[in-house]
Amino acid sequence: MVVTTDTMTAARIHGAGDVRTHAEAIPRVGVGEELVRVTAVGLCGSDLHWFAEAGIGDSRLSRPVVPGHEFAGVIEGGPRHGERVAVDPALPCGRCESCRDGYRNLCPTVVFAGHGEYDGGLRQYLAWPSWALHGLPDGLSAADGAMLEPLGVALHALDLGHLRIGASVAVVGAGPIGLLLVQAARRCGATRIVVVEPLAHRREAALRLGADVALDVSAAREESAMSAALGGSGADAVFELAGTDLAVELSLRAARPGARVVLGGIPAGDHTSFQASAARRKGLTLVLVRRMNEAYPRAIRLVEQGLIDVSSIVTHRYPLDQAADAFAVAAGREGLKVVVEP
């Protein structure tokens, strides 16, 4: 395909619950960049914060922004013309202490697609650095390529959990990242995986993708039920991926003494609270997830070799001109992952 027009369609969030599509100029390609025709964009929980709250954490919407940081596309023009790619949405500086120490995800000046002043992938074209475009094997679809980003976050969370073979695991929140983490934990040798999730269709998905037990919230709040599900002593590693105080509370309850609890959910009000004495008595280690570190090559290998099934979490697809409908469905948690296909 050759670009034969100067304009494209882009979807922008103008305020809480306000998504509009616009005709805009196709971006100009800078030095070291490629023009990417976007083919699939996943709507993430953080996108839903921008949609529902016009912000996320301590960042607020300062202008209409193009959301979307889970995306794939095809390079248009240049020596890589026609190559199908997954797009790494994070562009760290590469010079600061965090970058030099190997923590690219903690770069304080990182450019991140669809966040703040930087437009994301919910448009037909974008210009992006060539080094951040990862070639997709033939067996991976465009939607699979978009799902590599949430898989990368799941892998990073798993790394932070220091999971050992034979360990027991609890996952609190069975959204897309939680479901990918269930699969990855099983591949890492977890012998017991318990999921806590309020929505029945997501509990069913968790069982289908490798969980041994899937509890609703009321059952998880009963100490006897959680203890029975985990075999008595509690989980060796717990992954919280819901972003609510209740999810954190349940995570602390599920953890055995001395366990690691990885907090990956993003709270709506930018504050998280929990009973300190309960965590202190168990001597828990709490770790927070900041996106992901260098994960795309590993994620691609896992999917290419059939070790992780990313297509299993995609339940809804929409064209770009129905982006507002796509956000409404994603915000309603009606399925698993909503993908927009520009």
Side-chain angles (χ1 to χ4, degrees):
M1 178 176 178
V2 177
V3 180
T4 58
T5 180
D6 295 327
T7 61
M8 66 173 184
T9 300
R12 291 185 179 273
I13 296 176
H14 286 254
D18 185 2
V19 178
R20 310 176 203 171
T21 55
H22 304 266
E24 301 183 2
I26 292 176
R28 293 183 179 275
V29 177
V31 176
E33 293 183 334
E34 309 275 7
L35 183 67
V36 178
R37 174 169 52 87
V38 181
T39 51
V41 186
L43 299 187
C44 176
S46 55
D47 294 320
L48 298 181
H49 281 288
W50 286 109
F51 171 71
E53 305 154 30
I56 183 171
D58 58 0
S59 298
R60 310 310 302 169
L61 191 69
S62 60
R63 65 177 184 89
V65 68
V66 177
H69 59 267
E70 305 174 353
F71 58 113
V74 179
I75 295 175
E76 295 289 344
R80 298 176 67 184
H81 175 73
E83 184 176 351
R84 299 167 57 253
V85 293
V87 183
D88 187 336
L91 307 178
C93 74
R95 300 180 300 275
C96 69
E97 183 176 2
S98 293
C99 286
R100 293 197 308 271
D101 287 346
Y103 300 108
R104 297 171 63 250
N105 59 312
L106 304 181
C107 174
T109 60
V110 64
V111 170
F112 195 78
H115 183 92
E117 295 298 315
Y118 305 103
D119 287 334
L122 209 60
R123 46 183 161 158
Q124 291 179 305
Y125 294 93
L126 86 161
W128 209 246
S130 184
W131 64 262
L133 304 176
H134 298 269
L136 289 176
D138 290 339
L140 274 65
S141 69
D144 292 341
M147 293 304 96
L148 294 173
E149 199 279 341
L151 175 56
V153 176
L155 295 176
H156 180 56
L158 200 65
D159 292 343
L160 294 175
H162 294 186
L163 194 65
R164 297 183 297 176
I165 190 168
S168 58
V169 170
V171 177
V172 181
I177 293 176
L179 293 173
L180 292 170
L181 200 147
V182 166
Q183 295 184 60
R186 185 63 80 192
R187 290 298 184 182
C188 282
T191 54
R192 187 72 173 170
I193 300 176
V194 174
V195 166
V196 179
E197 167 58 47
L199 299 177
H201 69 277
R202 293 189 171 186
R203 293 196 300 272
E204 292 168 3
L207 293 171
R208 186 172 66 250
L209 294 172
D212 296 292
V213 179
L215 302 174
D216 63 21
V217 172
S218 60
R221 298 183 83 162
E222 297 177 9
E223 187 173 345
S224 59
M226 180 68 83
S227 178
L230 289 166
S233 61
D236 298 304
V238 183
F239 300 90
E240 180 277 316
L241 296 163
T244 66
D245 286 353
L246 176 57
V248 176
E249 175 193 333
L250 294 175
S251 298
L252 301 183
R253 289 187 185 185
R256 68 162 176 78
R260 292 176 73 86
V261 177
V262 181
L263 304 181
I266 300 176
D270 197 28
H271 287 85
T272 298
S273 62
F274 56 88
Q275 185 181 4
S277 59
R280 187 172 60 249
R281 278 195 297 269
K282 288 186 175 182
L284 300 177
T285 298
L286 273 62
V287 189
L288 276 70
V289 177
R290 171 64 167 171
R291 296 173 180 159
M292 63 171 156
N293 213 342
E294 188 64 48
Y296 271 85
R298 180 166 51 146
I300 290 171
R301 290 194 300 270
L302 287 168
V303 178
E304 184 180 23
Q305 294 177 23
L307 299 173
I308 302 289
D309 180 7
V310 292
S311 64
S312 61
I313 66 172
V314 177
T315 55
H316 292 73
R317 299 171 186 264
Y318 288 86
L320 185 57
D321 61 4
Q322 295 179 23
D325 294 334
F327 267 97
V329 169
R333 269 58 175 192
E334 294 179 24
L336 300 177
K337 175 63 71 175
V338 175
V339 170
V340 176
E341 299 173 320

